[in-house]
Amino acid sequence: MSARLLKKVLKEQEELQQHHSQPSTTDDEDGQDPGPSPPAASSINPFDLLIDDEDDSQINPQQDDDQEAAEEVSVNMHKEFVRNGTKSASSTSNKKLKKKKKKKERENSSSTTNKILDKPLDVILESLSLDVNPSALSRQQDPEKAKDVVEEERNRGKQCLTSLLEVDPKYLNAGNELRRIFGSKVVKSFEKNNQASSSRQLRGGRRVNHLSRKTYLVSPSDHWPRWDGSLSMEFLETKNGYHYFRYVHPPSYVEAQKAFEAAKSIHDLNGIASILLHHPYHLDSLITMAEYFKFAGDHEMSSDAVAKSLYALECAWHPMFTALQGNCQLKISHETNKPMFTSLFTHVKNLDRRGCHRSALEVCKLLLSLDSDDPMGALFFIDYLSLRAEEYTWLERFAESYKNDTSLWLFPNFSFSLSVCRYYLEREEDSKNDNLDATRANSTDLLKQALMLHPLVLKRLVEKVPLKEQFWVHILKNSFFSSDQTGIPSLDHLINLYVERNYLIWRIPDLQKLLKETAQLVIEVLETDRNDAKDWACVRKEAFSCEKNEYAHLLVSDFSDSVSSAPPEALQDFVVDPRMRDVQNIIQHANPPNQRHPTREIANRSALAVLFESMLPWVNYGDERDIGVDEGNQFDEHDH
């Protein structure tokens, strides 16, 4: 019970005592029996125990006991008066007390905060500390507990990264983005033409309508076969807040995989096509046919094959596989998980070519979140997609929050992309008349830092964009920008990847003006102080200290927006992985060109199969001399 409330109750009790004592005195004067006397007041004065809060430290245990005794006496007195018929008076007083109770609590809380502010800082920290008892102190000194605290902070950072890579499903549909860009009428007419072409393809056979499963990554077409359940996924473990999974192949899929490997070893395209007749969702066959159609120039069929593989992969997801939330891992070290990464990366490039940069960004987030090792190099693609999708704020948050061995701004793509990002954010803030954040570096400072760290990028951009003005020739004559290589294999490869992917960004005249002014500013700074160039060279060597190319598995052609045509030497790579070209060279040396492949018969063969097969360099139908010999023999036989 608070002090003010106790004082109020005792005052009301005294008033009630006086009210009862008046009729008793009149009765005594009349000679009547006074009746039972009220209980004697306590010898302890409760008001003496109400000491100010500033003197709380001086209260001893005896005073605490006296205060408890006073409270018990006041409670007993209150109960006795209620029994003697003062229920109505006490009820009214209780109502008043209830109304003023909240007000008293507010005053007490404000008084306690004032008391806390008046105390020294050490006392406040000691009172707020959770580790006051000796067991807590010993726990704090325990190194194992300290490791647990570090793990909790690390998990908290992973949760932040998970939310950063969380995929928004409404942006995964490329059709919605195309409607926003071109309008619904254009998209509807295009879809009608595609439906008409697909119906012509199905003419002559019985069309079966079935309900397709709802998926996020792709929208299944009506002419696709029904999902046959040829794949499944199993849960492995939960570690550090991530759920680990792996795709599983049933026996029927294993047999189809063996047939694919056999057809691949002899470069038999017909064998791969026959596998898809019996197993329409065999992943490696679909990916192989997608590569072939891309080289042949049929990009629509190539995209359709990739979409089929993604549809099959998503239909096999485990119920716990919440991939869009960024908390699931599919390690590429498992052989059965590799088609997922290949299909997603190809799907990102297809969406980018169609102009669906926002959808491509969401798929790239998913690709980056599935494996923390980033085997497909999504980290060197995501900045370009963010700029094209105009997600500038997200790109800055990603660069600040993503965990990596080195800071992201040290990579060439992020060092230049962040300056472009800041340039567009400054333009938006100027248009809104907002106050610019003085703590953040402006776009000129960021671009200056990028040019000092990676001067080779400027020369590559001038050649690739291309920038043909005369002042660029004058800038590149400077010794700082004239070098052709950095001497660091990993950095040279990353610069090639950045220029090949992001050169389109620098075709905008405003950015070219920014690049020109910043390059001239760098030259002026280096003329005054040459030590800056040496300092940035040390930073480069420290950031990329490995003597070998750590990113050799990322092909520059995979990051290019140009599509290869169909020469014979390029078509040979659609079955064999482009990363195995050295093995192909060994095979060619083992089988010299003089050694001819056996000729194939074309009689009683499908014309379409012969057409596809004739485009393959290893297929021989006989040369002109063979045809001439055959024709001569036929004429001789006719003459005979």
Side-chain angles (χ1 to χ4, degrees):
M1 183 181 293
S2 63
R4 295 179 181 271
L5 184 60
L6 180 61
K7 182 178 179 181
K8 185 70 176 178
V9 171
L10 293 178
K11 186 180 292 185
E12 291 176 357
Q13 291 173 357
E14 290 177 357
E15 293 177 357
L16 291 173
Q17 285 179 357
Q18 294 176 1
H19 178 70
H20 283 277
S21 62
Q22 290 178 357
S24 62
T25 53
T26 55
D27 292 338
D28 292 338
E29 291 177 355
D30 296 338
Q32 298 177 357
D33 189 13
S37 61
S42 176
S43 60
I44 301 173
N45 188 2
F47 295 101
D48 294 336
L49 302 176
L50 300 177
I51 306 174
D52 293 337
D53 294 331
E54 296 178 356
D55 300 330
D56 288 343
S57 60
Q58 298 178 359
I59 298 176
N60 52 21
Q62 183 64 33
Q63 290 177 340
D64 292 338
D65 295 338
D66 294 341
Q67 186 175 1
E68 292 177 358
E71 290 181 358
E72 291 178 359
V73 169
S74 62
V75 171
N76 293 330
M77 291 172 63
H78 180 67
K79 290 181 179 179
E80 188 171 354
F81 282 117
V82 169
R83 294 194 202 100
N84 292 332
T86 60
K87 185 180 294 185
S88 60
S90 63
S91 61
T92 56
S93 63
N94 287 331
K95 289 181 181 179
K96 294 179 180 179
L97 292 175
K98 289 179 180 178
K99 290 180 181 179
K100 295 182 180 180
K101 185 175 182 180
K102 294 182 180 180
K103 183 177 179 181
K104 302 298 182 182
E105 290 177 352
R106 294 194 200 100
E107 294 176 356
N108 292 332
S109 62
S110 62
S111 62
T112 53
T113 53
N114 292 330
K115 286 187 293 182
I116 291 175
L117 293 175
D118 292 337
K119 292 181 181 180
L121 181 61
D122 297 337
V123 178
I124 296 173
L125 293 176
E126 186 177 358
S127 62
L128 294 177
S129 177
L130 298 177
D131 299 331
V132 178
N133 51 354
S135 61
L137 292 174
S138 62
R139 196 185 308 121
Q140 187 177 5
Q141 297 174 357
D142 192 358
E144 295 181 357
K145 299 298 181 181
K147 291 181 180 179
D148 295 338
V149 173
V150 173
E151 286 293 331
E152 289 179 0
E153 294 178 353
R154 191 177 300 169
N155 293 334
R156 203 174 295 120
K158 288 180 179 179
Q159 290 177 359
C160 178
L161 177 61
T162 299
S163 62
L164 196 63
L165 293 177
E166 187 173 354
V167 178
D168 193 347
K170 69 179 180 181
Y171 291 111
L172 287 175
N173 192 346
N176 296 335
E177 187 168 3
L178 289 175
R179 291 184 186 93
R180 290 194 298 268
I181 298 173
F182 301 104
S184 58
K185 292 182 179 180
V186 177
V187 176
K188 284 182 180 179
S189 62
F190 180 76
E191 290 176 351
K192 286 181 180 179
N193 294 331
N194 286 342
Q195 290 176 0
S197 62
S198 63
S199 63
R200 286 194 295 269
Q201 291 175 1
L202 294 173
R203 187 177 297 169
R206 187 168 62 90
R207 183 170 180 174
V208 179
N209 293 327
H210 58 83
L211 296 176
S212 301
R213 298 183 59 174
K214 183 180 179 181
T215 53
Y216 293 103
L217 297 178
V218 293
S219 299
S221 301
D222 295 334
H223 65 275
W224 287 3
R226 186 189 297 272
W227 163 242
D228 55 359
S230 57
L231 284 175
S232 62
M233 180 184 284
E234 66 175 355
F235 171 73
L236 297 178
E237 61 177 349
T238 299
K239 185 178 180 182
N240 296 330
Y242 290 103
H243 307 296
Y244 290 80
F245 296 87
R246 178 180 61 185
Y247 279 101
V248 179
H249 294 167
S252 59
Y253 192 94
V254 173
E255 294 298 327
Q257 186 68 23
K258 291 180 181 179
F260 170 78
E261 295 295 338
K264 178 181 176 181
S265 62
I266 61 174
H267 308 285
D268 187 7
L269 180 63
N270 291 326
I272 296 175
S274 64
I275 293 173
L276 292 175
L277 292 177
H278 302 284
H279 303 277
Y281 290 106
H282 183 260
L283 300 177
D284 288 335
S285 298
L286 287 171
I287 294 171
T288 300
M289 296 304 296
E291 288 293 313
Y292 170 75
F293 286 127
K294 182 185 72 173
F295 286 125
D298 194 345
H299 301 291
E300 184 179 352
M301 292 294 293
S302 177
S303 300
D304 188 76
V306 174
K308 278 183 182 178
S309 63
L310 288 175
Y311 176 71
L313 288 164
E314 186 173 353
C315 287
W317 282 0
H318 194 275
M320 294 176 57
F321 187 72
T322 55
L324 303 185
Q325 297 180 7
N327 59 350
C328 297
Q329 290 280 296
L330 276 176
K331 287 297 183 181
I332 201 173
S333 57
H334 299 290
E335 190 70 23
T336 55
N337 293 340
K338 289 183 178 180
M340 183 70 173
F341 293 90
T342 305
S343 301
L344 282 176
F345 189 72
T346 307
H347 189 50
V348 169
K349 294 190 292 183
N350 292 338
L351 291 174
D352 177 52
R353 292 191 187 99
R354 294 174 65 185
C356 303
H357 304 295
R358 187 69 173 88
S359 300
L361 176 61
E362 297 299 319
V363 179
C364 194
K365 288 181 189 178
L366 175 61
L367 179 61
L368 185 60
S369 66
L370 288 180
D371 194 340
S372 56
D373 298 331
D374 189 21
M376 304 303 296
L379 197 62
F380 308 108
F381 209 125
I382 199 168
D383 61 304
Y384 167 78
L385 296 175
S386 302
L387 294 177
R388 295 300 300 269
E390 299 182 359
E391 291 293 320
Y392 308 123
T393 305
W394 180 88
L395 180 59
E396 285 194 343
R397 287 197 303 114
F398 177 79
E400 293 174 357
S401 304
Y402 188 76
K403 304 299 181 183
N404 206 325
D405 296 336
T406 56
S407 299
L408 283 184
W409 68 272
L410 294 175
F411 291 114
N413 59 321
F414 278 96
S415 61
F416 283 88
S417 295
L418 287 175
S419 63
V420 177
C421 176
R422 174 49 48 183
Y423 173 76
Y424 284 113
L425 286 176
E426 288 173 354
R427 291 178 60 177
E428 291 179 0
E429 291 171 352
D430 290 339
S431 62
K432 295 178 182 179
N433 295 324
D434 293 339
N435 294 325
L436 299 178
D437 190 0
T439 59
R440 285 184 174 272
N442 56 25
S443 57
T444 304
D445 293 337
L446 291 176
L447 187 56
K448 175 185 173 183
Q449 176 179 296
L451 288 173
M452 296 286 285
L453 184 59
H454 306 293
L456 180 60
V457 173
L458 181 63
K459 186 175 183 178
R460 298 286 174 85
L461 285 177
V462 171
E463 296 172 355
K464 183 69 177 177
V465 172
L467 302 176
K468 298 181 180 180
E469 289 79 1
Q470 188 64 29
F471 56 84
W472 291 112
V473 178
H474 176 70
I475 291 174
L476 292 180
K477 285 182 179 179
N478 189 278
S479 59
F480 187 70
F481 295 111
S482 62
S483 59
D484 294 329
Q485 288 186 350
T486 62
I488 305 174
S490 297
L491 183 57
D492 288 335
H493 191 72
L494 291 180
I495 290 175
N496 292 334
L497 292 180
Y498 170 72
V499 174
E500 187 67 29
R501 178 65 274 165
N502 292 52
Y503 76 95
L504 291 174
I505 300 292
W506 296 98
R507 285 187 172 178
I508 301 174
D510 293 339
L511 291 178
Q512 292 180 9
K513 181 181 178 181
L514 176 66
L515 184 62
K516 171 192 170 184
E517 294 175 353
T518 309
Q520 292 175 346
L521 182 62
V522 169
I523 293 175
E524 293 176 0
V525 171
L526 292 177
E527 288 177 354
T528 57
D529 189 3
R530 284 286 177 180
N531 292 326
D532 288 347
K534 296 179 181 179
D535 294 339
W536 286 107
C538 294
V539 173
R540 284 195 298 271
K541 292 181 181 180
E542 184 69 23
F544 304 95
S545 57
C546 186
E547 297 180 356
K548 65 178 182 178
N549 187 3
E550 299 176 334
Y551 305 98
H553 61 283
L554 303 177
L555 300 179
V556 178
S557 59
D558 290 340
F559 291 80
S560 176
D561 55 353
S562 60
V563 181
S564 302
S565 57
E569 59 272 10
L571 280 175
Q572 192 172 0
D573 291 338
F574 87 92
V575 173
V576 179
D577 194 341
R579 298 168 181 82
M580 300 294 291
R581 284 171 180 161
D582 295 337
V583 179
Q584 280 296 105
N585 294 332
I586 296 173
I587 295 174
Q588 290 177 0
H589 286 297
N591 299 316
N594 296 331
Q595 184 179 355
R596 296 175 56 192
H597 295 280
T599 59
R600 296 195 179 192
E601 298 292 336
I602 61 175
N604 299 325
R605 296 282 305 279
S606 172
L608 182 62
V610 172
L611 176 62
F612 285 156
E613 200 174 76
S614 64
M615 301 175 69
L616 303 177
W618 55 82
V619 176
N620 181 26
Y621 288 108
D623 54 10
E624 295 179 356
R625 289 173 295 178
D626 295 338
I627 295 174
V629 171
D630 292 339
E631 290 178 353
N633 293 335
Q634 290 177 1
F635 285 128
D636 292 339
E637 291 175 1
H638 181 70
D639 291 338
H640 287 297

